[in-house]
């Protein structure tokens, strides 16, 4: 039953990579007045944390 956990971990890694890209785009924006409201750094950290937990559970079982 490790396959769903590995799929979840892979999906969360993709979410973390996408939020890292979005955070990089926000940091390098041309119009400094258009800040945005998504906490991309928090999303990236939480996705990486949950990916590690899913991978640890998949390895353990």
């Amino acid at each position: 039953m490790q396959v769903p956990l590995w799929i979840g971990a892979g999906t969360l890694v993709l979410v973390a990579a996408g939020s890292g890209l979005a955070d990089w785009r926000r940091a390098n924006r041309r119009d400094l007045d258009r800040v945005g409201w998504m906490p991309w750094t928090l999303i990236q950290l939480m996705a990486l944390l949950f990916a590690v937990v899913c991978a640890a559970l998949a390895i353990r079982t």
Side-chain angles (χ1 to χ4, degrees), residues 8-26:
T11 303
L12 287 166
V13 167
L14 289 176
V15 168
S19 63
L21 176 65
D23 192 35
W24 177 80
R25 287 186 63 205
R26 181 174 61 179

Side-chain angles (χ1 to χ4, degrees), residues 10 18-19 24 30 39-42 46 49 57:
S19 63
W24 177 80
R30 290 184 186 179
W40 292 116
T41 307
L42 177 64
M46 296 304 289
L49 175 71
L57 288 174

